[in-house]
PDB file of all heavy atoms in Angstrom:
ATOM      1  N   LYS A   1       0.869  -1.297   0.063  1.00  0.00           N
ATOM      2  CA  LYS A   1       0.004  -0.071   0.043  1.00  0.00           C
ATOM      3  C   LYS A   1       0.855   1.267   0.034  1.00  0.00           C
ATOM      4  O   LYS A   1       0.544   2.262  -0.724  1.00  0.00           O
ATOM      5  CB  LYS A   1      -0.932   0.025   1.244  1.00  0.00           C
ATOM      6  CG  LYS A   1      -2.093  -0.987   1.098  1.00  0.00           C
ATOM      7  CD  LYS A   1      -3.054  -0.631   0.016  1.00  0.00           C
ATOM      8  CE  LYS A   1      -4.063  -1.685  -0.186  1.00  0.00           C
ATOM      9  NZ  LYS A   1      -4.954  -1.371  -1.401  1.00  0.00           N
ATOM     10  N   TYR A   2       1.955   1.238   0.734  1.00  0.00           N
ATOM     11  CA  TYR A   2       2.845   2.365   0.775  1.00  0.00           C
ATOM     12  C   TYR A   2       3.523   2.608  -0.518  1.00  0.00           C
ATOM     13  O   TYR A   2       3.608   3.787  -1.005  1.00  0.00           O
ATOM     14  CB  TYR A   2       3.893   2.216   1.819  1.00  0.00           C
ATOM     15  CG  TYR A   2       3.470   2.697   3.203  1.00  0.00           C
ATOM     16  CD1 TYR A   2       3.419   1.774   4.268  1.00  0.00           C
ATOM     17  CD2 TYR A   2       2.785   3.924   3.496  1.00  0.00           C
ATOM     18  CE1 TYR A   2       2.942   2.032   5.532  1.00  0.00           C
ATOM     19  CE2 TYR A   2       2.400   4.322   4.783  1.00  0.00           C
ATOM     20  CZ  TYR A   2       2.419   3.369   5.786  1.00  0.00           C
ATOM     21  OH  TYR A   2       2.024   3.703   6.994  1.00  0.00           O
ATOM     22  N   GLU A   3       3.745   1.542  -1.219  1.00  0.00           N
ATOM     23  CA  GLU A   3       4.391   1.660  -2.649  1.00  0.00           C
ATOM     24  C   GLU A   3       3.396   2.235  -3.585  1.00  0.00           C
ATOM     25  O   GLU A   3       3.680   3.013  -4.495  1.00  0.00           O
ATOM     26  CB  GLU A   3       4.964   0.276  -3.108  1.00  0.00           C
ATOM     27  CG  GLU A   3       6.250  -0.049  -2.569  1.00  0.00           C
ATOM     28  CD  GLU A   3       7.341   0.962  -2.836  1.00  0.00           C
ATOM     29  OE1 GLU A   3       7.498   1.420  -4.074  1.00  0.00           O
ATOM     30  OE2 GLU A   3       8.071   1.305  -1.853  1.00  0.00           O
ATOM     31  N   GLN A   4       2.143   1.642  -3.501  1.00  0.00           N
ATOM     32  CA  GLN A   4       1.151   2.270  -4.317  1.00  0.00           C
ATOM     33  C   GLN A   4       0.866   3.830  -4.079  1.00  0.00           C
ATOM     34  O   GLN A   4       0.644   4.488  -4.963  1.00  0.00           O
ATOM     35  CB  GLN A   4      -0.199   1.463  -3.982  1.00  0.00           C
ATOM     36  CG  GLN A   4      -0.254   0.162  -4.559  1.00  0.00           C
ATOM     37  CD  GLN A   4      -1.506  -0.678  -4.233  1.00  0.00           C
ATOM     38  OE1 GLN A   4      -2.308  -0.236  -3.340  1.00  0.00           O
ATOM     39  NE2 GLN A   4      -1.672  -1.806  -4.783  1.00  0.00           N
ATOM     40  N   ALA A   5       0.906   4.177  -2.734  1.00  0.00           N
ATOM     41  CA  ALA A   5       0.797   5.615  -2.439  1.00  0.00           C
ATOM     42  C   ALA A   5       1.917   6.449  -3.008  1.00  0.00           C
ATOM     43  O   ALA A   5       1.778   7.474  -3.596  1.00  0.00           O
ATOM     44  CB  ALA A   5       0.826   5.741  -0.905  1.00  0.00           C
ATOM     45  N   ASN A   6       3.200   5.898  -3.037  1.00  0.00           N
ATOM     46  CA  ASN A   6       4.307   6.604  -3.590  1.00  0.00           C
ATOM     47  C   ASN A   6       4.247   6.708  -5.090  1.00  0.00           C
ATOM     48  O   ASN A   6       4.402   7.714  -5.780  1.00  0.00           O
ATOM     49  CB  ASN A   6       5.567   5.861  -3.276  1.00  0.00           C
ATOM     50  CG  ASN A   6       6.053   5.978  -1.800  1.00  0.00           C
ATOM     51  OD1 ASN A   6       5.625   6.929  -1.135  1.00  0.00           O
ATOM     52  ND2 ASN A   6       6.888   5.037  -1.445  1.00  0.00           N
ATOM     53  N   TYR A   7       3.581   5.589  -5.773  1.00  0.00           N
ATOM     54  CA  TYR A   7       3.443   5.634  -7.064  1.00  0.00           C
ATOM     55  C   TYR A   7       2.316   6.603  -7.543  1.00  0.00           C
ATOM     56  O   TYR A   7       2.557   7.336  -8.560  1.00  0.00           O
ATOM     57  CB  TYR A   7       3.070   4.223  -7.640  1.00  0.00           C
ATOM     58  CG  TYR A   7       2.909   4.091  -9.186  1.00  0.00           C
ATOM     59  CD1 TYR A   7       3.952   4.206  -9.949  1.00  0.00           C
ATOM     60  CD2 TYR A   7       1.642   3.941  -9.678  1.00  0.00           C
ATOM     61  CE1 TYR A   7       3.832   4.187 -11.346  1.00  0.00           C
ATOM     62  CE2 TYR A   7       1.487   3.839 -11.128  1.00  0.00           C
ATOM     63  CZ  TYR A   7       2.612   4.020 -11.886  1.00  0.00           C
ATOM     64  OH  TYR A   7       2.536   3.981 -13.219  1.00  0.00           O
ATOM     65  N   SER A   8       1.233   6.727  -6.678  1.00  0.00           N
ATOM     66  CA  SER A   8       0.260   7.731  -7.016  1.00  0.00           C
ATOM     67  C   SER A   8       0.775   9.071  -6.918  1.00  0.00           C
ATOM     68  O   SER A   8       0.294   9.922  -7.731  1.00  0.00           O
ATOM     69  CB  SER A   8      -0.821   7.557  -5.989  1.00  0.00           C
ATOM     70  OG  SER A   8      -1.643   6.288  -6.164  1.00  0.00           O
ATOM     71  N   GLU A   9       1.666   9.379  -6.072  1.00  0.00           N
ATOM     72  CA  GLU A   9       2.230  10.777  -5.893  1.00  0.00           C
ATOM     73  C   GLU A   9       3.041  11.011  -7.175  1.00  0.00           C
ATOM     74  O   GLU A   9       2.957  12.052  -7.594  1.00  0.00           O
ATOM     75  CB  GLU A   9       3.069  10.902  -4.668  1.00  0.00           C
ATOM     76  CG  GLU A   9       2.128  11.028  -3.343  1.00  0.00           C
ATOM     77  CD  GLU A   9       2.890  11.278  -2.073  1.00  0.00           C
ATOM     78  OE1 GLU A   9       4.158  10.872  -2.116  1.00  0.00           O
ATOM     79  OE2 GLU A   9       2.443  11.735  -1.159  1.00  0.00           O
ATOM     80  N   ILE A  10       3.769  10.012  -7.586  1.00  0.00           N
ATOM     81  CA  ILE A  10       4.719  10.195  -8.720  1.00  0.00           C
ATOM     82  C   ILE A  10       3.754  10.428  -9.949  1.00  0.00           C
ATOM     83  O   ILE A  10       4.045  11.375 -10.839  1.00  0.00           O
ATOM     84  CB  ILE A  10       5.573   8.988  -8.894  1.00  0.00           C
ATOM     85  CG1 ILE A  10       6.625   8.838  -7.890  1.00  0.00           C
ATOM     86  CG2 ILE A  10       6.219   9.109 -10.339  1.00  0.00           C
ATOM     87  CD1 ILE A  10       7.542   7.686  -7.860  1.00  0.00           C
ATOM     88  N   GLN A  11       2.733   9.829  -9.995  1.00  0.00           N
ATOM     89  CA  GLN A  11       1.738  10.007 -11.161  1.00  0.00           C
ATOM     90  C   GLN A  11       1.209  11.351 -11.163  1.00  0.00           C
ATOM     91  O   GLN A  11       1.059  12.063 -12.128  1.00  0.00           O
ATOM     92  CB  GLN A  11       0.561   9.008 -11.157  1.00  0.00           C
ATOM     93  CG  GLN A  11       1.002   7.656 -11.644  1.00  0.00           C
ATOM     94  CD  GLN A  11      -0.300   6.666 -11.518  1.00  0.00           C
ATOM     95  OE1 GLN A  11      -0.973   6.611 -10.514  1.00  0.00           O
ATOM     96  NE2 GLN A  11      -0.369   5.846 -12.572  1.00  0.00           N
ATOM     97  N   GLY A  12       0.935  11.928  -9.835  1.00  0.00           N
ATOM     98  CA  GLY A  12       0.398  13.256  -9.858  1.00  0.00           C
ATOM     99  C   GLY A  12       1.372  14.163 -10.236  1.00  0.00           C
ATOM    100  O   GLY A  12       1.063  15.438 -10.814  1.00  0.00           O
ATOM    101  N   GLN A  13       2.626  14.122  -9.794  1.00  0.00           N
ATOM    102  CA  GLN A  13       3.706  15.095 -10.215  1.00  0.00           C
ATOM    103  C   GLN A  13       3.967  14.915 -11.738  1.00  0.00           C
ATOM    104  O   GLN A  13       4.135  16.098 -12.355  1.00  0.00           O
ATOM    105  CB  GLN A  13       5.083  14.612  -9.472  1.00  0.00           C
ATOM    106  CG  GLN A  13       4.885  14.841  -8.076  1.00  0.00           C
ATOM    107  CD  GLN A  13       6.075  14.255  -7.346  1.00  0.00           C
ATOM    108  OE1 GLN A  13       6.926  13.465  -7.850  1.00  0.00           O
ATOM    109  NE2 GLN A  13       6.177  14.435  -5.976  1.00  0.00           N
ATOM    110  N   MET A  14       3.895  13.701 -12.328  1.00  0.00           N
ATOM    111  CA  MET A  14       3.886  13.742 -13.719  1.00  0.00           C
ATOM    112  C   MET A  14       2.788  14.372 -14.441  1.00  0.00           C
ATOM    113  O   MET A  14       2.997  14.965 -15.542  1.00  0.00           O
ATOM    114  CB  MET A  14       3.968  12.135 -14.180  1.00  0.00           C
ATOM    115  CG  MET A  14       5.205  11.394 -13.650  1.00  0.00           C
ATOM    116  SD  MET A  14       6.798  12.179 -14.283  1.00  0.00           S
ATOM    117  CE  MET A  14       6.720  11.710 -15.917  1.00  0.00           C
ATOM    118  N   ALA A  15       1.479  14.298 -13.842  1.00  0.00           N
ATOM    119  CA  ALA A  15       0.457  14.952 -14.536  1.00  0.00           C
ATOM    120  C   ALA A  15       0.600  16.430 -14.436  1.00  0.00           C
ATOM    121  O   ALA A  15       0.304  17.146 -15.436  1.00  0.00           O
ATOM    122  CB  ALA A  15      -0.866  14.541 -13.771  1.00  0.00           C
ATOM    123  N   ARG A  16       1.226  16.923 -13.353  1.00  0.00           N
ATOM    124  CA  ARG A  16       1.452  18.317 -13.275  1.00  0.00           C
ATOM    125  C   ARG A  16       2.440  18.834 -14.161  1.00  0.00           C
ATOM    126  O   ARG A  16       2.398  19.865 -14.898  1.00  0.00           O
ATOM    127  CB  ARG A  16       1.749  18.711 -11.786  1.00  0.00           C
ATOM    128  CG  ARG A  16       1.971  19.991 -11.469  1.00  0.00           C
ATOM    129  CD  ARG A  16       0.521  21.015 -11.383  1.00  0.00           C
ATOM    130  NE  ARG A  16       0.662  22.182 -11.077  1.00  0.00           N
ATOM    131  CZ  ARG A  16       0.557  22.791  -9.951  1.00  0.00           C
ATOM    132  NH1 ARG A  16       0.297  21.988  -8.924  1.00  0.00           N
ATOM    133  NH2 ARG A  16       0.629  24.080  -9.785  1.00  0.00           N
ATOM    134  N   MET A  17       3.423  18.002 -14.326  1.00  0.00           N
ATOM    135  CA  MET A  17       4.622  18.448 -15.252  1.00  0.00           C
ATOM    136  C   MET A  17       4.103  18.348 -16.729  1.00  0.00           C
ATOM    137  O   MET A  17       4.449  19.243 -17.590  1.00  0.00           O
ATOM    138  CB  MET A  17       5.753  17.381 -15.173  1.00  0.00           C
ATOM    139  CG  MET A  17       6.477  17.708 -13.807  1.00  0.00           C
ATOM    140  SD  MET A  17       7.738  16.429 -13.523  1.00  0.00           S
ATOM    141  CE  MET A  17       8.795  16.574 -15.043  1.00  0.00           C
ATOM    142  N   ALA A  18       3.195  17.415 -17.109  1.00  0.00           N
ATOM    143  CA  ALA A  18       2.574  17.301 -18.411  1.00  0.00           C
ATOM    144  C   ALA A  18       1.774  18.506 -18.700  1.00  0.00           C
ATOM    145  O   ALA A  18       1.846  19.073 -19.881  1.00  0.00           O
ATOM    146  CB  ALA A  18       1.847  16.070 -18.638  1.00  0.00           C
ATOM    147  N   ALA A  19       1.094  18.984 -17.660  1.00  0.00           N
ATOM    148  CA  ALA A  19       0.262  20.256 -17.918  1.00  0.00           C
ATOM    149  C   ALA A  19       1.194  21.394 -18.116  1.00  0.00           C
ATOM    150  O   ALA A  19       0.842  22.188 -18.933  1.00  0.00           O
ATOM    151  CB  ALA A  19      -0.564  20.409 -16.658  1.00  0.00           C
ATOM    152  N   ARG A  20       2.305  21.521 -17.259  1.00  0.00           N
ATOM    153  CA  ARG A  20       3.114  22.593 -17.585  1.00  0.00           C
ATOM    154  C   ARG A  20       3.860  22.582 -19.053  1.00  0.00           C
ATOM    155  O   ARG A  20       4.018  23.697 -19.646  1.00  0.00           O
ATOM    156  CB  ARG A  20       4.335  22.481 -16.430  1.00  0.00           C
ATOM    157  CG  ARG A  20       3.950  23.002 -15.188  1.00  0.00           C
ATOM    158  CD  ARG A  20       4.899  23.013 -14.183  1.00  0.00           C
ATOM    159  NE  ARG A  20       4.466  23.359 -12.908  1.00  0.00           N
ATOM    160  CZ  ARG A  20       4.828  22.709 -11.627  1.00  0.00           C
ATOM    161  NH1 ARG A  20       5.780  21.785 -11.857  1.00  0.00           N
ATOM    162  NH2 ARG A  20       4.366  23.004 -10.561  1.00  0.00           N
ATOM    163  N   GLN A  21       4.214  21.321 -19.414  1.00  0.00           N
ATOM    164  CA  GLN A  21       4.707  21.342 -20.796  1.00  0.00           C
ATOM    165  C   GLN A  21       3.686  21.672 -21.808  1.00  0.00           C
ATOM    166  O   GLN A  21       3.998  22.361 -22.747  1.00  0.00           O
ATOM    167  CB  GLN A  21       5.243  19.772 -20.965  1.00  0.00           C
ATOM    168  CG  GLN A  21       6.503  19.492 -20.260  1.00  0.00           C
ATOM    169  CD  GLN A  21       6.824  17.943 -20.386  1.00  0.00           C
ATOM    170  OE1 GLN A  21       6.073  17.201 -20.682  1.00  0.00           O
ATOM    171  NE2 GLN A  21       8.089  17.704 -20.189  1.00  0.00           N
ATOM    172  N   ALA A  22       2.414  21.356 -21.604  1.00  0.00           N
ATOM    173  CA  ALA A  22       1.374  21.714 -22.479  1.00  0.00           C
ATOM    174  C   ALA A  22       1.281  23.161 -22.478  1.00  0.00           C
ATOM    175  O   ALA A  22       0.991  23.914 -23.566  1.00  0.00           O
ATOM    176  CB  ALA A  22       0.060  20.950 -22.168  1.00  0.00           C
ATOM    177  N   GLN A  23       1.317  23.782 -21.278  1.00  0.00           N
ATOM    178  CA  GLN A  23       1.301  25.321 -21.324  1.00  0.00           C
ATOM    179  C   GLN A  23       2.435  25.857 -22.073  1.00  0.00           C
ATOM    180  O   GLN A  23       2.192  27.012 -22.740  1.00  0.00           O
ATOM    181  CB  GLN A  23       1.351  25.749 -19.839  1.00  0.00           C
ATOM    182  CG  GLN A  23       0.047  25.525 -18.950  1.00  0.00           C
ATOM    183  CD  GLN A  23       0.139  25.826 -17.446  1.00  0.00           C
ATOM    184  OE1 GLN A  23       1.260  25.523 -17.008  1.00  0.00           O
ATOM    185  NE2 GLN A  23      -0.854  26.484 -16.980  1.00  0.00           N
ATOM    186  N   ILE A  24       3.655  25.405 -21.912  1.00  0.00           N
ATOM    187  CA  ILE A  24       4.732  25.976 -22.572  1.00  0.00           C
ATOM    188  C   ILE A  24       4.704  25.800 -24.121  1.00  0.00           C
ATOM    189  O   ILE A  24       4.923  26.677 -24.795  1.00  0.00           O
ATOM    190  CB  ILE A  24       6.091  25.356 -22.003  1.00  0.00           C
ATOM    191  CG1 ILE A  24       6.325  25.665 -20.598  1.00  0.00           C
ATOM    192  CG2 ILE A  24       7.169  25.576 -22.989  1.00  0.00           C
ATOM    193  CD1 ILE A  24       7.515  24.831 -19.869  1.00  0.00           C
ATOM    194  N   GLN A  25       4.126  24.683 -24.538  1.00  0.00           N
ATOM    195  CA  GLN A  25       3.949  24.478 -25.916  1.00  0.00           C
ATOM    196  C   GLN A  25       2.775  25.422 -26.461  1.00  0.00           C
ATOM    197  O   GLN A  25       2.869  25.991 -27.578  1.00  0.00           O
ATOM    198  CB  GLN A  25       3.392  22.949 -26.149  1.00  0.00           C
ATOM    199  CG  GLN A  25       3.252  22.635 -27.587  1.00  0.00           C
ATOM    200  CD  GLN A  25       2.990  21.195 -27.728  1.00  0.00           C
ATOM    201  OE1 GLN A  25       2.682  20.431 -26.872  1.00  0.00           O
ATOM    202  NE2 GLN A  25       3.094  20.645 -28.963  1.00  0.00           N
ATOM    203  N   THR A  26       1.714  25.565 -25.619  1.00  0.00           N
ATOM    204  CA  THR A  26       0.630  26.500 -26.152  1.00  0.00           C
ATOM    205  C   THR A  26       1.304  27.871 -26.241  1.00  0.00           C
ATOM    206  O   THR A  26       0.898  28.599 -27.225  1.00  0.00           O
ATOM    207  CB  THR A  26      -0.501  26.559 -24.997  1.00  0.00           C
ATOM    208  OG1 THR A  26      -0.968  25.183 -25.078  1.00  0.00           O
ATOM    209  CG2 THR A  26      -1.612  27.372 -25.551  1.00  0.00           C
ATOM    210  N   ILE A  27       1.938  28.411 -25.252  1.00  0.00           N
ATOM    211  CA  ILE A  27       2.706  29.697 -25.377  1.00  0.00           C
ATOM    212  C   ILE A  27       3.622  29.831 -26.501  1.00  0.00           C
ATOM    213  O   ILE A  27       3.671  30.806 -27.271  1.00  0.00           O
ATOM    214  CB  ILE A  27       3.385  30.098 -23.986  1.00  0.00           C
ATOM    215  CG1 ILE A  27       2.266  30.223 -22.906  1.00  0.00           C
ATOM    216  CG2 ILE A  27       4.132  31.324 -24.119  1.00  0.00           C
ATOM    217  CD1 ILE A  27       2.876  30.301 -21.526  1.00  0.00           C
TER     218      ILE A  27
END
């Protein structure tokens, strides 16, 4: 469960980074 929690946090960070990259691309 702790590993799944860590993985979920990493997925969240990756989603945020993907959004930032999309913003940069849009600009």
Side-chain angles (χ1 to χ4, degrees):
K1 288 296 178 182
Y2 280 119
E3 279 304 310
Q4 289 173 351
N6 291 338
Y7 184 70
S8 290
E9 284 182 343
I10 290 169
Q11 283 180 319
Q13 292 167 359
M14 295 300 290
R16 187 72 182 263
M17 286 174 54
R20 284 185 187 135
Q21 288 175 338
Q23 288 175 316
I24 291 168
Q25 186 176 12
T26 300
I27 292 169

